[in-house]
Amino acid sequence: MTDTSPNAPIPSAIPPVVLDHPLVRHKLTRLRQASTSTAGFRRLTRELSLLMCYEATRDLAVEPIEIETPLERMEGWALSGKKLCFVSVLRAGNGILDGMLDLVPAARVGHVGLYRDPNTLEAVEYYLKFPEDVAERDCIVVDPMLATGHSAAAAIDRVKAAGVTNIVFVCLLASPEGVAHMNERHPDVKIVTCAIDRELDDHGYIRPGLGDAGDRLFGTK
């Protein structure tokens, strides 16, 4: 039974996983450049999503199966247990979602539509849609930026309210403030990111960052 008393100890948060791979560092540097075109930004985001998906799915359960190769029978491995659901935080999360579906095409997809109030920086919901059996699935929530952490935490609130118990959050960039907020709100959720940048500015943007990921993905600014 979970101790919910006022003096209950705060559970320790799962440390964030920062991908320190040469390909990740190279592609992220190109992604950050102001001179990168919309098409280039989309391509690089998709390529990075493949690498992030590799890490985010590291703990998926597998089971042995017998298969026939062209030469003989052997024991191989197949995914087992709960199936996956990717949850995209609209709109920019779709830039990561596409690449992840390339690796796990059978995964179901959910969407959470949130925008950040420019005055309070709090997340406001405008859309929510999950698969009917989402509670029976492991979920990977994707959003390019973990800035203040309010939108990410709010999205995970919705996923947990749907009954999901195993959640990973994947983003291109995070701020120390965003990681701290997520660790406080959802210490049981692992964060997978390509980098944790220096800080947030007065407008809640990650510095040095890469700008507005949604605008750069969709060419809207």
Side-chain angles (χ1 to χ4, degrees):
M1 180 178 295
T2 302
D3 186 354
T4 57
S5 65
N7 297 320
I10 299 173
S12 58
I14 300 173
V17 176
V18 180
L19 303 184
D20 188 27
H21 190 284
L23 284 175
V24 171
R25 287 186 285 175
H26 170 76
K27 292 178 184 297
L28 180 60
T29 298
R30 292 180 59 198
L31 195 74
R32 291 180 188 272
Q33 289 179 284
S35 60
T36 298
S37 67
T38 297
F41 195 92
R42 287 176 189 157
R43 186 186 66 254
L44 288 163
T45 298
R46 192 183 193 102
E47 291 170 354
L48 283 166
S49 72
L50 297 171
L51 297 168
M52 292 189 293
C53 188
Y54 175 85
E55 181 60 40
T57 57
R58 177 178 293 278
D59 297 326
L60 292 180
V62 294
E63 61 185 2
I65 63 167
E66 287 287 329
I67 65 168
E68 190 81 37
T69 80
L71 299 176
E72 63 183 33
R73 290 190 64 79
M74 66 162 284
E75 185 178 86
W77 298 93
L79 293 176
S80 65
K82 292 183 178 180
K83 302 302 183 183
L84 269 180
C85 177
F86 295 124
V87 176
S88 173
V89 180
L90 298 174
R91 62 180 167 150
N94 284 355
I96 296 176
L97 174 66
D98 291 342
M100 292 198 167
L101 285 172
D102 284 345
L103 283 184
V104 194
R108 298 295 186 267
V109 176
H111 293 90
V112 180
L114 299 167
Y115 68 89
R116 187 171 62 178
D117 186 286
N119 297 316
T120 67
L121 301 184
E122 293 290 334
V124 180
E125 180 186 317
Y126 64 89
Y127 184 80
L128 184 68
K129 185 73 172 181
F130 294 141
E132 290 184 358
D133 64 347
V134 69
E136 302 169 15
R137 296 175 177 269
D138 295 335
C139 278
I140 297 176
V141 180
V142 298
D143 193 4
M145 314 296 280
L146 178 60
T148 64
H150 292 137
S151 293
I156 291 170
D157 285 341
R158 274 63 166 188
V159 174
K160 286 185 174 180
V164 180
T165 58
N166 189 19
I167 303 168
V168 176
F169 179 79
V170 174
C171 59
L172 292 170
L173 288 183
S175 72
E177 297 91 334
V179 170
H181 186 75
M182 279 283 285
N183 285 346
E184 179 182 357
R185 289 275 298 275
H186 299 289
D188 57 323
V189 174
K190 180 169 71 174
I191 299 168
V192 175
T193 185
C194 296
I196 299 176
D197 276 9
R198 185 180 68 248
E199 63 186 358
L200 292 179
D201 64 18
D202 293 338
H203 300 287
Y205 283 95
I206 299 174
R207 297 283 183 162
L210 50 75
D212 187 297
D215 283 339
R216 296 195 68 187
L217 277 166
F218 302 112
T220 50
K221 190 173 181 180

